[in-house]
Amino acid sequence: MASGVFLLVRPKTLRRPILPDALQPEPPAGALRLELDSHALRCNWKTLDCLSGTARAAAAVKADGYGLGARQVVPILREAGCEDFLVAHFSELPDIVGLIDPARVSVLHGPLNPQDVAYAVALGVKPVINSPFQARLWRAGGGGACDVMIDTGINRLGIAMSDLGDADIRALDVDILMSHLACADEDSALNELQRKAWEEARTILSHVRASLANSAGIVLGSGYHGDMTRPGLSLYGGIPRPELANRIEQVVHPQAALLQVRSIDVGDGVGYSSTFIADRPMRIGTIAMGYADGFLHCWSDKGLVTAGGKRLRTLGRVSMDMTVIDLTDAPELAEGDWVEAEYDLPNAAAATGLSQYELLTVLGKRFSRNC
Ligand SMILES: *Cc1c(COP(=O)(O)O)cnc(C)c1O
């Protein structure tokens, strides 16, 4: 009898089997989402393409589409009419090559070894050649159409003007001859110097298309346009120069769910180090977004979220996975409801000291990205 009972008891060591990936249930949507305004993204590309005059606007989709999700933004940009795309690393290609003509994809960092070259050749993408070393690698691996980056004064990455006569550079089959502006978001004398050097490079090295301007460079004038412009930031709502204000729309809307609502009394502290102390009884809420999601420590006591048209401030320190908000003006908000962080890029940059670029690329992996 005793042994029969014994058999019914599940031994403590018996665990559920580990599920192979294919059998795992889909996780639920979760408490964080990055809403992409696809209409705004399309409009921004069209605006920048239009401001580029006779040149066509490409799209920089490096760094996972500036943090928005390359898989999400590329189809929308294509639909808007964009044909040329730029990434920085070869590792960024798997996300997007199935979505676009690989012959119109440029890899800005260029190849560093024969494996990079073989990969570019296998996919049919163009490396951007940045040095005689990269030109030799590319030619040794079979070569073919590529782009070149000429360094006209940023002194970062690109072929020096003095290397334009290099035999391996001259032997390249160049689609886009590009250079990159160091100070396009400022009124700097360097802009014109770089433009002239780029014009000079165009007369030395044969190529199909020429390109100089990033988002800010587009509004420096038609002399900066060439055949193709390369906006990134402003596609996604960034405004690097006043000329672009009122023309570029916000694309990213970070949203988080309320995990818990509570009441606190006068003198109660909120969050790590109790940096916020209530001076009256308050109703507060905890949202599922923290610095691990890109809502960095610099937002502590500075963030604003909106819900139902009301603006609610954040209280105390941002934690890794959570931030506390003041629900005084929104008594109707309950656990499970959603709020949206105010994330207008110029204002967010002014509030935090982060650049508009950082505010985008820092947005974390835990946001669901749908549009
Ligand atoms: C990132 C990048 C761009 C896009 O610049 P934005 O300032 O984001 O518009 C264009 N060209 C090159 C070479 C880049 O690295």
Side-chain angles (χ1 to χ4, degrees):
M1 195 179 82
S3 68
V5 171
F6 197 69
L7 278 175
L8 292 172
V9 176
R10 193 164 152 183
K12 273 193 180 151
T13 52
L14 192 69
R15 296 272 192 272
R16 285 241 207 160
I18 292 171
L19 285 178
D21 285 355
L23 293 182
Q24 283 179 20
E26 276 294 305
L32 265 185
R33 59 190 183 211
L34 204 59
E35 198 180 277
L36 297 193
D37 184 338
S38 53
H39 177 74
L41 178 58
R42 265 195 300 276
C43 287
N44 288 345
W45 183 82
K46 286 184 178 158
T47 297
L48 293 160
D49 186 56
C50 194
L51 289 170
S52 301
T54 55
R56 296 306 309 278
V61 296
K62 60 195 181 188
D64 201 22
Y66 283 47
L68 277 58
R71 278 179 194 277
Q72 279 72 28
V73 299
V74 165
I76 299 167
L77 292 164
R78 273 209 52 187
E79 208 183 289
C82 183
E83 292 179 304
D84 294 278
F85 294 86
L86 304 111
V87 295
H89 289 258
F90 288 101
S91 63
E92 298 180 302
L93 291 168
D95 271 346
I96 61 164
V97 280
L99 306 172
I100 36 189
D101 176 1
R104 305 294 287 270
V105 177
S106 308
V107 184
L108 289 163
H109 283 0
L112 276 183
N113 51 51
Q115 291 75 31
D116 289 345
V117 170
Y119 186 60
V121 169
L123 288 183
V125 300
K126 294 174 297 176
V128 177
I129 300 298
N130 294 289
S131 64
F133 165 73
Q134 292 193 341
R136 282 193 290 281
L137 267 177
W138 181 240
R139 297 206 330 112
C146 64
D147 298 331
V148 293
M149 172 64 76
I150 316 292
D151 195 314
T152 53
I154 193 168
N155 288 310
R156 186 181 67 171
L157 180 64
I159 300 163
M161 291 295 287
S162 56
D163 277 336
L164 282 180
D166 178 279
D168 289 296
I169 301 286
R170 297 197 83 109
L172 292 171
D173 173 7
V174 180
D175 176 8
I176 305 167
L177 181 154
M178 59 179 99
S179 187
H180 192 59
L181 297 165
C183 307
D185 48 359
E186 298 160 36
D187 293 321
S188 162
L190 186 55
N191 291 329
E192 187 57 11
L193 290 175
Q194 287 198 266
R195 193 188 68 74
K196 286 195 174 129
W198 168 72
E199 290 285 8
E200 189 190 337
R202 291 170 72 174
T203 67
I204 300 173
L205 194 61
S206 70
H207 58 280
V208 180
R209 297 182 284 170
S211 175
L212 178 62
N214 62 344
S215 301
I218 289 172
V219 288
L220 291 178
S222 58
Y224 289 78
H225 292 163
D227 304 299
M228 188 188 96
T229 58
R230 307 187 308 271
L233 181 71
S234 293
L235 294 172
Y236 313 115
I239 301 180
R241 290 189 64 96
E243 294 91 332
L244 288 167
N246 305 320
R247 290 183 140 139
I248 293 298
E249 298 174 39
Q250 184 176 346
V251 174
V252 194
H253 299 269
Q255 300 173 344
L258 259 177
L259 296 169
Q260 193 180 26
V261 165
R262 67 184 341 107
S263 295
I264 58 172
D265 286 324
V266 178
D268 284 348
V270 171
Y272 285 122
S273 300
S274 296
T275 56
F276 175 83
I277 307 278
D279 59 2
R280 61 193 157 83
M282 294 177 75
R283 194 162 166 277
I284 64 173
T286 303
I287 60 172
M289 177 174 76
Y291 60 77
D293 305 302
F295 196 67
L296 301 184
H297 176 66
C298 52
W299 281 108
S300 296
D301 293 310
K302 286 188 193 144
L304 284 167
V305 303
T306 55
K310 291 169 184 159
R311 303 175 83 196
L312 314 171
R313 60 187 176 142
T314 65
L315 302 174
R317 286 223 180 131
V318 175
S319 301
M320 185 182 289
D321 318 301
M322 290 173 272
T323 302
V324 175
I325 59 172
D326 182 356
L327 294 180
T328 306
D329 296 332
E332 71 285 1
L333 280 187
E335 287 158 4
D337 286 348
W338 288 78
V339 303
E340 179 171 315
E342 288 200 0
Y343 219 72
D344 158 75
L345 292 174
N347 288 336
T352 58
L354 296 175
S355 73
Q356 297 181 51
Y357 295 87
E358 289 167 313
L359 284 160
L360 290 172
T361 55
V362 78
L363 292 166
K365 285 189 170 31
R366 296 193 294 197
F367 282 101
S368 65
R369 287 165 166 82
N370 299 312
C371 37

